[in-house]
Amino acid sequence: MLYRPLGRTGMTVSEIGFGCASWWGQARFDEREAVRLVHAALDGGVTFFDTGAAYSGGEAEPRLGRALRGRDLGRVVVATKAGTYHDGRRIVRDFRPEAIEASVERSLGRLGLDTLPLLQLHGPAVAELDEELRGRLARLKQRGLIRALGANSFDPTVIEHLIGLPEFDVVMVDYNVLRPERAPLIAEAAAAGKGVLAGMALAMGHANRQVFRLRAPRDVWYVLRALKNHRADIGKGARFGFLSQLDGMTASQAALAYVLSDPNVSSAVIGTTRMAHLTENLEASGLELPAATRARIEEAQRFGIGR
Ligand SMILES: NC(=O)c1ccc[n+]([C@@H]2O[C@H](COP(=O)([O-])OP(=O)(O)OC[C@H]3O[C@@H](n4cnc5c(N)ncnc54)[C@H](OP(=O)(O)O)[C@@H]3O)[C@@H](O)[C@H]2O)c1
């Protein structure tokens, strides 16, 4: 596993990060299997774990806390999110400073930590990033409850705004073969000293049409998520079918090598519930994307015609 600096935070992270969200965190996914994946990731050198208070119906964060209990976390950067939570029925947004502070305190308890290495606001609006909230976040840092501050947004206007805010150390954006248009913004963020995390680095399985291989209930759940939230990506993903026929690397490895070929990315964060997929993804660290594959990816991105 290779490691990269996380902007100017003084922390380094594994270039493949493990996302503790989605099906991984759900109660109906066997806890022993979920924990086994986290332990295998740790043993494979992963030092970046991403979760959120609202993920998986609120179950993902405490599950990650249980998985990390008793493990050496010396080099591990645990990231969680605030601004959203699950009320038992649905995800609720609350970016009031007092709600963010309460969320941080709950997250520390659930994760079993004294300090959160990275707190990320989960999809804030520009108007919510006001002076009062930024002042409260700065005080959380001074009190040692959080080490670094970031925000996760898929809205370029919000990311652009965050780049100009000195309180923020890290941004997490949606960056994968389907989203090459994020590269200039990522370069701008990195030039401003922000650490950049690529969330959805595998385009949620659309980069390799994995999402249509129905082998278990979780696969049906992945398809329903795609149909509900990411319909456009289903069509876009169809252009990248050629990634499944490469010599020397799998489609997921090529998709990760593409993201990691951008030196401005600190970590490509993947989600998985299958050990074989985790192993394959960890082996993508250090893989170089062959020039011919890059050319075909860029062609598919430009013209929408994969061969
Ligand atoms: N999606 C979002 O809206 C979002 C938002 C903010 C942050 N994030 C962060 O980004 C992380 C990753 O995003 P994500 O989970 O949405 O999507 P993702 O990592 O882009 O894709 C996950 C999908 O890819 C499949 N997969 C993983 N490895 C594979 C492999 N080697 N071969 C074939 N298929 C593979 C998974 O299925 P299997 O389970 O079968 O492996 C799953 O269907 C999240 O966990 C979270 O930390 C995501």
Side-chain angles (χ1 to χ4, degrees):
M1 179 63 66
L2 300 180
Y3 299 86
R4 300 184 181 197
L6 183 60
R8 295 183 188 149
T9 62
M11 297 185 278
T12 58
V13 287
S14 52
E15 60 178 23
I16 306 285
F18 190 92
C20 297
S22 308
W23 190 267
W24 177 89
Q26 301 211 2
R28 53 198 154 164
F29 181 52
D30 183 46
E31 170 115 345
R32 284 162 307 182
E33 192 53 28
V35 168
R36 219 161 65 82
L37 286 160
V38 167
H39 290 174
L42 283 167
D43 295 344
V46 171
T47 61
F48 183 70
F49 291 86
D50 180 63
T51 192
Y55 282 176
S56 310
E59 303 286 341
E61 189 181 66
R63 174 170 278 184
L64 177 61
R66 292 190 291 276
L68 294 177
R69 200 177 294 152
R71 304 290 299 209
D72 176 9
L73 301 183
R75 296 178 62 206
V76 172
V77 177
V78 178
T80 195
K81 308 199 177 69
T84 56
Y85 64 92
H86 205 278
D87 72 356
R89 281 187 312 127
R90 62 198 169 93
I91 293 177
V92 181
R93 293 179 96 260
D94 193 346
F95 284 87
R96 288 173 304 136
E98 57 272 29
I100 299 290
E101 185 164 338
S103 184
V104 165
E105 284 164 359
R106 279 194 304 271
S107 292
L108 285 168
R110 289 178 183 146
L111 290 164
L113 300 172
D114 297 324
T115 300
L116 282 177
L118 174 62
L119 174 74
Q120 305 187 86
L121 297 187
H122 192 200
V126 167
E128 285 163 334
L129 296 164
D130 60 14
E131 249 177 70
E132 195 193 347
L133 175 58
R134 297 195 325 263
R136 184 74 68 112
L137 289 165
R139 281 197 295 285
L140 291 178
K141 248 192 206 180
Q142 283 157 10
R143 287 171 57 202
L145 296 188
I146 62 179
R147 178 162 174 193
L149 176 64
N152 168 212
S153 177
F154 299 159
D155 180 343
T157 314
V158 175
I159 300 288
E160 191 80 54
H161 184 69
L162 286 161
I163 291 172
L165 297 178
E167 294 88 352
F168 285 82
D169 309 295
V170 173
V171 290
M172 175 183 262
V173 301
D174 50 339
Y175 190 39
N176 51 55
V177 289
L178 309 188
R179 300 269 193 285
E181 65 273 23
R182 295 287 183 258
L185 197 54
I186 287 173
E188 201 190 315
K194 312 292 183 196
V196 179
L197 299 165
M200 290 165 62
L202 293 171
M204 294 178 301
H206 296 298
N208 54 8
R209 314 288 284 156
Q210 144 83 13
V211 80
F212 294 111
R213 292 187 60 207
L214 304 182
R215 292 149 293 179
R218 75 192 84 165
D219 300 312
V220 177
W221 185 87
Y222 286 138
V223 168
L224 293 177
R225 172 176 75 165
L227 291 172
K228 184 163 166 255
N229 303 330
H230 304 278
R231 256 170 212 263
D233 287 344
I234 297 175
K236 275 191 186 178
R239 306 170 192 167
F240 296 87
F242 65 88
L243 290 178
S244 301
Q245 278 120 46
L246 300 175
D247 287 333
M249 60 174 72
T250 67
S252 295
Q253 289 173 337
L256 291 173
Y258 172 82
V259 170
L260 292 172
S261 68
D262 187 330
N264 297 316
V265 169
S266 299
S267 187
V269 185
I270 58 100
T272 187
T273 57
R274 290 184 164 99
M275 192 61 79
H277 287 170
L278 177 68
T279 306
E280 183 184 320
N281 296 338
L282 298 190
E283 285 170 359
S285 174
L287 283 186
E288 193 145 335
L289 193 67
T293 306
R294 172 178 295 284
R296 288 182 76 178
I297 290 174
E298 288 174 353
E299 187 188 340
Q301 289 166 338
R302 266 199 311 276
F303 304 114
I305 306 164
R307 285 174 296 161

